[in-house]
């Protein structure tokens, strides 16, 4: 039973710690060559549920030796053609069967995701699992509908331009959308015939292990998909430095993204693609539409998934004429978001992923105070008595352009408000970070919408909306938000293929 208490930050629900750890629908060894196996070292690490700080699983801890075994299995699977030489129709059918199995187990997977990372279970089902399904089906359907090309070389020669799988693709992924973001990589890479070794974040290995088991049930041949949980500096680095990994696709922080460029340089110059962080602005012009609607979108745009979203709209850059009414409405909208136990289906803001991250987010809040920003709502940990890691939706006003809160990614529920007087100043503020992942512009004027969208340096610009998303549309960033080929969209298949040209004298 849950009880409900009112706090200054709005409605907070409490579910007493219970026996959720019992009966987890997942096994916790490494998934290598089509089966579960313990780590070579025999070591395991604890998974702590962010909702109450209790251990829910002890997961096998992969390291260099395990990565070697997984890469060798993936290499064998690739070289003997058990997957890449199938008719594309058969790859399509397998991936569609896998999607059906994910759909069958959607409730279990959503609950597992929520338990592992603290996100609301309703969002895990409606976003993470739903998008995982769409992603699998989109790339499955693309598998047997991609054509190669013949170059217009003239009659004496015949030149074809074909796309071929890279071979063994390594993927290192984050914990904020653990299964969904991994499948943004897995689905296109497998659809075109690669084999893979995936390292989930140490905070979120559970759903990917279950997914790998479902892939085997769907008929994916052994060794084609391997999942090696473990820590970044050991298992992650081993994959990044491996001489027999052909490409490495990474989503995570810029700090670690840089390391992957080094790993590639120090090893076999493998292809690297990076999806990194952001400090995305929501730019509200003087003629923005209805304040209540903008306020709700701004609040959801930053506080969805506890703010643990790379494209979170974490800066509100607002014209002075609209500022007071909008900020008041954003604060009210923030306070209405229901914070509490992620397993409660009514929760909107769940728990941060781990104790270290809680401390990091509280550190950013402390820095904002030190730098002179003015706290309007939130600002601290709540529900500490549950043992979980909850931070209230937090809004700071008067955030100076060069201050830490304006520049650094918090990856938590903290909104920075910045004010401008003329449009050039607003655009300069919006563009004034090292990042360039997402940005929005709110205006009723069509010309302003076009002009400003063009001037915003971001991989995705939303006009009068935030976080619209579809698997058909590519997603990636400018600047220090990443490079090397976007996730999502048909073009994502290109980053998992080589281009080959073949000349024939006629
Ligand atoms: P992180 O960079 O700390 O970790 C990501 C992955 O890298 C994990 O699997 C981790 O184990 C691994 N890793 C850590 N240290 C490593 C090392 N030394 N060598 C090799 N691998 C290592 O990021 P995180 O905390 O998991 O995720 C948050 C970050 O990810 C934020 O910056 C966020 O913006 C970004 N992100 C970006 C996108 C996007 O699509 N652009 C999506 C989600 C998250």
């Amino acid at each position: 039973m849950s009880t409900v208490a009112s706090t200054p930050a709005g409605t907070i629900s409490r579910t007493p710690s219970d026996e959720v750890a019992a009966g987890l629908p997942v096994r916790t060894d490494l998934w290598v060559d089509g089966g579960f196996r313990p780590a070579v070292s025999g070591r395991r690490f604890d998974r702590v549920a962010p909702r109450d700080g209790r251990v829910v699983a002890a997961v096998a801890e992969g390291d260099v030796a395990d990565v070697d075994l997984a890469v060798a299995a993936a290499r064998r699977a690739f070289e003997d053609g058990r997957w890449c030489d199938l008719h594309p129709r058969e790859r399509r059918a397998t991936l569609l069967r896998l999607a059906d199995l994910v759909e069958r187990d959607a409730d279990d997977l959503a609950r597992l995701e929520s338990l592992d990372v603290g996100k609301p279970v309703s969002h895990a089902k409606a976003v993470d699992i739903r998008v995982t399904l769409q992603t699998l089906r989109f790339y499955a359907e693309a598998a047997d509908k991609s054509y190669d090309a013949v170059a217009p070389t003239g009659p004496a020669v015949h030149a074809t331009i074909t796309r071929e799988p890279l071979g063994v693709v390594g993927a290192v992924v984050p914990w904020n959308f653990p299964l969904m973001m991994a499948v943004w990589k897995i689905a296109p890479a497998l659809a075109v015939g690669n084999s893979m070794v995936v390292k989930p974040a140490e905070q979120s290995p559970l759903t990917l292990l279950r997914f790998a088991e479902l892939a085997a049930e769907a008929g994916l041949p052994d060794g084609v998909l391997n999942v090696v949980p473990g820590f970044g500096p050991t298992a992650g680095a081993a994959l990044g430095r491996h001489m027999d990994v052909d490409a490495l696709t990474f989503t995570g922080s810029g700090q670690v993204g840089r390391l992957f460029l080094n790993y590639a340089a120090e090893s076999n110059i493998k292809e690297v693609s990076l999806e990194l962080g952001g400090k995305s602005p929501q730019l509200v012009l003087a003629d923005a539409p209805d304040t209540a609607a903008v306020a709700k979108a701004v609040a959801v745009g930053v506080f969805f998934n506890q703010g643990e979203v790379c494209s979170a709209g974490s800066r509100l850059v607002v014209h002075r004429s609209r500022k007071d009414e909008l900020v008041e409405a954003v604060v009210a909208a923030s306070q209405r978001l229901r914070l509490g136990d992620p397993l409660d289906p009514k929760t909107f803001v769940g728990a941060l992923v781990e104790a270290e991250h809680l401390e990091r987010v509280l550190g950013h809040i402390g820095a904002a105070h030190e730098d002179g920003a003015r706290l309007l709502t939130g600002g601290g940990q709540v529900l500490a008595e549950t043992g979980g890691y909850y931070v209230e939706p937090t809004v700071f006003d008067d955030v100076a352009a060069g201050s830490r809160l304006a520049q650094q990614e918090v990856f938590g529920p903290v909104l920075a408000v910045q004010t401008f007087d003329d449009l050039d100043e607003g655009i300069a503020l919006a563009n004034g970070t090292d990042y360039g992942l997402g940005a929005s512009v709110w205006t009723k004027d069509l010309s302003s919408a076009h002009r400003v969208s063009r001037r915003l340096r971001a991989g995705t610009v939303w006009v009068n909306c935030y976080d619209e998303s579809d698997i058909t549309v590519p997603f990636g960033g400018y600047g220090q938000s990443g490079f090397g080929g976007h996730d999502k969209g048909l073009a994502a298949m290109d980053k998992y293929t080589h281009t080959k040209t073949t000349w024939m004298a006629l």
Side-chain angles (χ1 to χ4, degrees):
M1 289 294 280
S2 65
T3 54
V4 173
S6 249
T7 78
T11 308
I12 293 183
S13 72
R14 288 195 181 85
T15 301
S17 293
D18 54 26
E19 65 294 343
V20 285
L24 280 184
V26 65
R27 291 179 58 190
T28 52
D29 278 335
L30 315 176
W31 179 267
V32 176
D33 208 8
F36 284 109
R37 48 161 301 149
V40 170
S41 68
R43 282 202 303 270
R44 309 188 79 81
F45 63 99
D46 284 343
R47 268 310 302 133
V48 169
R51 65 188 284 270
D52 59 6
R54 288 169 46 173
V55 174
V56 289
V59 179
E61 182 187 327
D63 204 330
V64 178
D66 306 285
V67 168
D68 280 346
L69 289 173
V71 172
R75 176 59 61 193
R76 281 193 301 277
F78 186 73
E79 296 301 333
D80 71 15
R82 69 186 82 164
W83 177 247
C84 61
D85 288 344
L86 289 181
H87 193 291
R89 250 196 317 273
E90 292 179 57
R91 290 203 297 273
R92 167 182 173 272
T94 305
L95 293 174
L96 288 177
R97 276 196 301 276
L98 174 54
D100 290 345
L101 295 175
V102 170
E103 190 163 37
R104 180 195 72 190
D105 289 358
D107 287 329
D108 278 352
L109 286 164
R111 188 174 158 79
L112 207 51
E113 204 72 295
S114 173
L115 196 58
D116 211 8
V117 299
K119 67 170 62 211
V121 66
S122 53
H123 297 174
K125 179 97 186 278
V127 179
D128 298 64
I129 305 304
R130 181 180 58 85
V131 174
T132 296
L133 284 169
Q134 286 174 350
T135 305
L136 283 167
R137 288 179 174 141
F138 179 77
Y139 291 108
E141 289 296 350
D144 66 348
K145 296 171 190 68
S146 303
Y147 289 73
D148 289 324
V150 177
T153 49
V157 287
H158 180 74
T160 58
I161 304 165
T162 52
R163 305 215 60 117
E164 298 187 340
L166 299 172
V168 176
V169 174
V172 176
V173 291
W175 45 258
N176 57 339
F177 295 89
L179 182 60
M180 180 186 100
M181 282 187 179
V183 171
W184 283 357
K185 300 177 185 307
I186 293 170
L190 294 189
V192 298
N194 294 287
S195 299
M196 293 191 82
V197 178
V198 185
K199 194 203 83 63
E202 50 272 40
Q203 298 86 350
S204 58
L206 299 182
T207 47
L208 256 178
L209 288 170
R210 178 67 186 134
F211 177 84
E213 204 179 2
L214 292 177
E217 188 181 339
L220 190 73
D222 292 351
V224 174
L225 175 65
N226 303 275
V227 178
V228 182
F231 291 89
T234 50
L239 205 46
R241 291 201 177 102
H242 207 288
M243 293 299 288
D244 205 24
V245 169
D246 298 292
L248 195 295
T249 171
F250 172 77
T251 298
S253 63
Q255 202 184 352
V256 177
R258 282 170 214 275
L259 294 178
F260 278 98
L261 297 176
N262 283 337
Y263 297 153
E266 291 161 9
S267 57
N268 60 345
I269 320 187
K270 57 179 67 64
E271 290 188 20
V272 175
S273 59
L274 304 176
E275 295 286 355
L276 308 174
K279 191 77 202 179
S280 302
Q282 297 238 38
L283 181 61
V284 180
L285 306 192
D287 69 344
D290 174 52
T291 298
V294 180
K296 188 168 174 216
V298 168
V300 171
V302 61
F303 298 129
F304 174 68
N305 213 48
Q306 306 72 244
E308 296 166 327
V309 181
C310 49
S311 57
S314 54
R315 290 184 297 135
L316 170 58
V317 181
V318 55
H319 190 269
R320 194 172 303 279
S321 66
R322 298 295 294 275
K323 191 245 175 113
D324 290 346
E325 53 158 356
L326 183 62
V327 169
E328 192 182 323
V330 168
V331 167
S334 313
Q335 292 173 345
R336 280 196 297 274
L337 299 175
R338 189 182 163 98
L339 182 150
D341 185 348
L343 292 180
D344 180 341
K346 295 197 204 76
T347 290
F348 188 93
V349 179
L352 297 179
V353 71
E354 60 181 354
E356 291 79 357
H357 191 52
L358 168 71
E359 290 309 317
R360 208 176 300 138
V361 170
L362 294 176
H364 282 285
I365 290 174
H369 284 295
E370 284 167 22
D371 290 351
R374 192 161 55 88
L375 182 68
L376 298 181
T377 187
Q381 183 183 3
V382 287
L383 297 181
E385 69 280 10
T386 62
Y389 317 125
Y390 301 86
V391 170
E392 294 170 286
T394 295
V395 180
F396 278 100
D397 195 2
D398 300 332
V399 177
S403 69
R404 285 172 282 181
L405 190 61
Q407 295 296 325
Q408 296 174 359
E409 182 180 41
V410 175
F411 221 56
V414 183
L415 176 68
V417 180
Q418 301 176 281
T419 311
F420 67 92
D421 291 297
D422 73 65
L423 186 59
D424 285 346
E425 184 193 359
I427 290 173
L429 277 175
N431 286 337
T433 74
D434 292 334
Y435 294 110
L437 195 54
S440 72
V441 53
W442 295 84
T443 173
K444 279 196 226 146
D445 181 68
L446 188 60
S447 300
S448 298
H450 278 287
R451 285 209 191 94
V452 175
S453 304
R454 228 181 271 170
R455 292 177 65 189
L456 288 171
R457 290 201 298 273
T460 298
V461 174
W462 289 282
V463 177
N464 294 336
C465 58
Y466 204 80
D467 269 349
E468 281 296 326
S469 166
D470 194 271
I471 190 58
T472 57
V473 181
F475 179 74
Y478 285 18
Q480 292 188 24
S481 292
F483 72 98
H486 288 10
D487 282 332
K488 303 172 70 186
L490 277 182
M493 295 168 87
D494 293 348
K495 80 174 174 183
Y496 301 109
T497 54
H498 284 304
T499 299
K500 175 178 278 181
T501 56
T502 308
W503 293 85
M504 291 176 211
L506 298 180

